[in-house]
Amino acid sequence: MIEQIRSQVDIIDVISDYMQLTKRGRNWFGLCPFHGENTPSFSVSQDKQIFHCFGCSAGGNAITFVMDIEHIPFPNAVAKLGERVGIYLDIQNDSMNKDNQSYSKKEEKMIEAHEFAAQFYHHLLMNTEDGEKALNYLLKRGFTKELIETNGIGWSMPSWDTLSVLLKRNGYDLEEMAECGLIIQKESDHTYFDRFRNRVMFPIRDENGKVIAFSGRIIDSSDDAKYLNSPESPIFHKSQVLFNLDKARTYIRKKRQTILMEGFMDVLAANQAGVYNAVATMGTSLTGQHVTKLKRLSEQIIICYDGDNAGWDAAKRAAEMLYTDNFKVEVAVLPQELDPDEYIRKFGPESFAKQILEKPHAYISFMMMYARRNKNFQFENDVLQYIQEVLEQLVGRSSPIERDLYIKQLSSETNISEEAINAQFRKFTADNEKNFKRAEQRNQLKPFEIQQKKTLSATDRAERLLLSHMLSNNEVVDKILKSDDPQPFAKDEYAAVFVRLVGFYEEHSAADYQRFLEILEDPALRKIAMEAALVERDPEHAEAEIVDCLKQLRKHKIEMQIKTLLHESQEAEKMHEHRRALEIAMQIIQLKKSLSAI
């Protein structure tokens, strides 16, 4: 079954579900999802069905990619890929339910409790009399039953401790449940009560679809806040979460475009209007972590924030941040200070798609609109400030055609001649270049520092090459195990990979580095194995290469022994242990002789 899944799944299709790939020559490239970068160093080979990052050394095949990106163990990754090709595996047995690599056991329990609570809330909404009022409210708001089911929307009871009692009855630690925000502990008597009461409940999921938080909305007029969100917790960090990313990822990849919104209700309204490539921040400004996640999927983005003043300000900040990070940014502007949800309910889904999303403003066009707001061109200061704000956006960011277009527009709006505006633009450009050169000189790395990072020691090269031969030929491992030094590696990580490789060859008669990568649960060990697998070997002189590697590693071990003994000798001299110092000196002499004999 596993071999069938492995052979039928295409690595390009799998990875493209999580990030944007562009074909260059025989391979595909993209921004590595395992470390932050601006220049693509993540390579995928369709011929070999492997991936490798030249920046952080992550690598493997389709199965290990899913293991790493979703932080799930091997059986779960295989089952997930199996579904793609119509092969369904049962992974319910204990041996396959290993702890998620991304979360600690405590955090896994918190996520489990959130999943449990989400199912409970959803049951109350859909199947009980208590939830009828909330269900009718949602249906009147335009929610379909399908949308409610798909998003697991629910209802929390008005009583103070319904969930608290249920969690305790099901064996959850109430102190942990308070820490993750599901319940609250009273200061007076240390008893617990539910955080969410009498609210429509919207589950918040991480990018892998796990419930990590909630947002609850009241449906009656009340002094309470309209929305109540889960607090920051070990499993919920607002600065990292994009609502609906788990569902939108596939649609973003297909359309090569992301719609970025301010609130989760806007995203749900957009889904109802047939727009499925929308995501939203969770009540925070756009952060660097958000940008990194967005960049992996698409570099084209439409910002669709609220039409009020706060929405304009937030859209400007987000647009600048994304444009600086080389996104193709457009901004959909909503009229009458409406938010997307209100606009869709007022004008309908078709108008939202055709009049708003299909007619966004280019980045500089939006920045001009923003700069023009609240300015009176009858006042000289307003005119000068407007021209300056627009020219600052054009410097270093626009093509000659764009510059010509926008400078003509500036001239028309302000009655200032194009010549004068062009002269000011040239001054800004010159000043910008001077500042850039100064900053570049300050931040420039010295050549030797760069070289130092890339250089591998002779021992590093020997370990990598030796492991490479081991991965390609199980007989190399057999010979080493029968030799005088059955564990030749110097570094603990390589020794750990070697031990696992020995175990692998006990079960598998032939070398297969891709299968071996799949059994390595530690991503750091997978990186080492992948780096070794990609090393160029000389098949015609394999024996000589292996002998040279073993010599270098023996030499390194002896040098380390000498270094340790020299330190011990110095300590013995200090303590006036002359006999001990003499014995150590004799050992050092013997080691140096054996070193010269290698």
Side-chain angles (χ1 to χ4, degrees):
M1 279 288 195
I2 294 174
E3 189 54 47
Q4 196 178 346
I5 292 167
R6 191 187 284 111
S7 63
Q8 288 186 29
V9 165
D10 181 62
I11 194 167
I12 301 297
D13 291 339
V14 172
I15 294 180
S16 292
D17 279 349
Y18 297 87
M19 58 183 282
Q20 186 176 353
L21 291 174
T22 305
K23 192 169 188 183
R24 289 190 209 150
R26 294 176 67 85
N27 292 346
W28 297 70
F29 289 86
L31 295 169
C32 180
F34 304 115
H35 81 286
E37 63 178 10
N38 293 318
T39 305
S41 63
F42 184 91
S43 171
V44 188
S45 168
Q46 195 162 24
D47 296 339
K48 298 178 181 177
Q49 289 291 303
I50 61 170
F51 72 92
H52 177 67
C53 175
F54 297 97
C56 69
S57 300
N61 58 16
I63 296 173
T64 62
F65 178 84
V66 173
M67 287 168 69
D68 288 341
I69 198 78
E70 298 218 5
H71 309 291
I72 56 178
F74 173 76
N76 301 64
V78 172
K80 192 176 184 73
L81 291 175
E83 290 174 10
R84 296 175 70 98
V85 293
I87 300 171
Y88 298 94
L89 301 178
D90 180 14
I91 59 164
Q92 297 305 311
N93 61 69
D94 292 336
S95 66
M96 289 190 171
N97 276 334
K98 295 177 183 176
D99 289 326
N100 187 301
Q101 298 295 308
S102 179
Y103 298 102
S104 66
K105 287 183 180 179
K106 179 180 172 182
E107 290 164 349
E108 275 291 336
K109 204 70 180 170
M110 291 176 175
I111 290 171
E112 185 187 300
H114 273 77
E115 297 279 1
F116 173 79
Q119 290 170 14
F120 175 60
Y121 292 144
H122 184 66
H123 170 75
L124 290 176
L125 178 73
M126 302 302 290
N127 303 307
T128 68
E129 288 184 13
D130 294 306
E132 272 185 24
K133 185 179 178 182
L135 181 59
N136 290 331
Y137 163 82
L138 289 169
L139 295 173
K140 283 178 186 175
R141 282 283 303 261
F143 284 76
T144 62
K145 285 196 174 181
E146 183 186 0
L147 188 72
I148 293 168
E149 290 281 1
T150 303
N151 289 278
I153 299 168
W155 168 252
S156 58
M157 297 286 283
S159 55
W160 281 83
D161 61 355
T162 305
L163 183 64
S164 301
V165 170
L166 204 56
L167 288 169
K168 186 175 182 180
R169 192 181 298 161
N170 281 271
Y172 291 101
D173 184 319
L174 294 190
E175 192 175 329
E176 287 181 4
M177 297 302 97
E179 188 182 353
C180 69
L182 283 174
I183 60 177
I184 299 170
Q185 187 177 37
K186 290 182 186 176
E187 289 185 11
S188 56
D189 58 3
H190 302 294
T191 57
Y192 295 90
F193 63 94
D194 298 355
R195 178 178 295 277
F196 299 100
R197 302 180 306 281
N198 208 33
R199 291 177 182 269
V200 174
M201 299 297 292
F202 298 92
I204 312 299
R205 295 177 172 85
D206 66 12
E207 59 195 275
N208 298 318
K210 294 184 176 182
V211 180
I212 53 173
F214 289 97
S215 184
R217 191 194 194 285
I218 57 170
I219 59 174
D220 298 315
S221 54
S222 167
D223 293 333
D224 293 332
K226 185 191 286 188
Y227 287 99
L228 176 67
N229 295 331
S230 293
E232 290 274 318
S233 75
I235 58 172
F236 177 52
H237 306 284
K238 285 185 279 189
S239 63
Q240 298 175 16
V241 174
L242 285 167
F243 179 82
N244 199 49
L245 184 58
D246 58 312
K247 295 184 179 69
R249 184 191 286 122
T250 303
Y251 297 98
I252 291 170
R253 181 181 67 84
K254 285 177 182 174
K255 291 187 71 99
R256 298 274 179 180
Q257 181 191 72
T258 308
I259 311 294
L260 179 64
M261 296 179 154
E262 272 191 288
F264 70 88
M265 287 295 285
D266 299 328
V267 170
L268 293 175
N271 286 174
Q272 193 67 2
V275 178
Y276 301 109
N277 57 327
V279 298
T281 52
M282 289 302 304
T284 67
S285 297
L286 195 68
T287 67
Q289 291 101 313
H290 292 143
V291 171
T292 299
K293 289 181 179 182
L294 290 168
K295 199 164 192 179
R296 289 172 192 155
L297 297 172
S298 170
E299 291 183 350
Q300 293 190 44
I301 195 157
I302 296 176
I303 297 168
C304 186
Y305 281 7
D306 297 355
D308 59 9
N309 287 334
W312 275 76
D313 291 341
K316 176 182 180 282
R317 287 193 301 272
E320 285 180 320
M321 192 172 184
L322 292 163
Y323 194 87
T324 302
D325 223 319
N326 300 316
F327 281 82
K328 184 191 174 187
V329 183
E330 295 176 307
V331 183
V333 176
L334 292 166
Q336 303 173 23
E337 298 196 346
L338 297 172
D339 63 34
D341 181 29
E342 291 167 337
Y343 183 95
I344 291 166
R345 281 191 281 126
K346 186 171 184 177
F347 297 106
E350 190 176 346
S351 175
F352 180 67
K354 292 188 175 178
Q355 299 302 318
I356 303 299
L357 295 183
E358 290 181 14
K359 296 180 181 178
H361 295 268
Y363 171 76
I364 291 174
S365 174
F366 170 75
M367 293 311 243
M368 288 181 76
M369 290 171 65
Y370 183 88
R372 201 160 50 237
R373 293 170 81 242
N374 304 320
K375 286 188 174 66
N376 186 339
F377 288 169
Q378 292 180 350
F379 296 111
E380 184 181 325
N381 280 347
D382 280 10
V383 172
L384 293 174
Q385 188 180 345
Y386 174 59
I387 291 171
Q388 179 167 331
E389 286 176 14
V390 174
L391 291 182
E392 283 173 353
Q393 291 294 335
L394 290 175
V395 170
R397 297 177 171 180
S398 54
S399 67
I401 294 171
E402 285 176 316
R403 281 198 298 276
D404 188 57
L405 175 69
Y406 292 122
I407 285 174
K408 276 181 179 171
Q409 190 175 326
L410 270 178
S411 177
S412 172
E413 289 173 343
T414 61
N415 290 322
I416 305 294
S417 71
E418 288 181 42
E419 291 77 11
I421 296 173
N422 267 306
Q424 186 70 4
F425 174 77
R426 286 192 293 272
K427 183 180 182 301
F428 278 159
T429 302
D431 291 343
N432 187 61
E433 284 176 1
K434 284 178 188 174
N435 292 335
F436 179 77
K437 283 178 182 176
R438 285 196 203 102
E440 200 175 40
Q441 286 169 356
R442 282 197 302 271
N443 298 330
Q444 196 171 30
L445 280 170
K446 294 175 185 177
F448 78 85
E449 289 177 330
I450 298 172
Q451 188 63 33
Q452 200 174 36
K453 286 182 182 178
K454 293 182 179 178
T455 303
L456 290 173
S457 70
T459 302
D460 292 333
R461 291 195 299 273
E463 287 193 300
R464 189 174 290 182
L465 184 55
L466 179 61
L467 181 58
S468 179
H469 281 288
M470 290 178 171
L471 289 169
S472 68
N473 186 350
N474 60 335
E475 290 180 9
V476 177
V477 173
D478 289 338
K479 286 180 183 178
I480 286 172
L481 288 173
K482 293 170 184 174
S483 70
D484 295 335
D485 187 4
Q487 200 301 89
F489 292 102
K491 290 194 180 70
D492 291 342
E493 313 91 85
Y494 275 88
V497 174
F498 176 64
V499 168
R500 285 159 178 78
L501 187 59
V502 170
F504 177 80
Y505 283 143
E506 285 174 357
E507 293 184 21
H508 301 83
S509 56
D512 186 339
Y513 79 88
Q514 289 207 34
R515 276 191 181 180
F516 176 62
L517 288 171
E518 292 165 3
I519 70 156
L520 293 174
E521 293 184 4
D522 187 342
L525 298 185
R526 271 206 298 278
K527 281 184 183 181
I528 289 169
M530 190 65 194
E531 283 177 333
L534 294 173
V535 166
E536 287 189 15
R537 302 181 308 278
D538 184 352
E540 293 181 10
H541 302 93
E543 193 66 38
E545 280 190 344
I546 293 165
V547 169
D548 287 344
C549 290
L550 292 170
K551 280 183 180 179
Q552 175 58 39
L553 292 173
R554 276 201 299 273
K555 183 180 173 185
H556 176 78
K557 282 185 179 180
I558 293 169
E559 286 171 346
M560 289 299 100
Q561 283 179 277
I562 291 171
K563 190 176 179 180
T564 303
L565 288 171
L566 283 170
H567 178 71
E568 289 180 13
S569 177
Q570 288 171 355
E571 292 298 312
E573 293 284 359
K574 283 181 188 176
M575 300 299 292
H576 302 291
E577 296 177 354
H578 302 298
R579 183 186 291 274
R580 172 70 179 141
L582 185 60
E583 289 172 356
I584 292 171
M586 295 300 293
Q587 289 178 49
I588 292 171
I589 290 168
Q590 290 301 317
L591 285 170
K592 284 183 176 179
K593 282 181 182 178
S594 61
L595 189 61
S596 60
I598 292 176

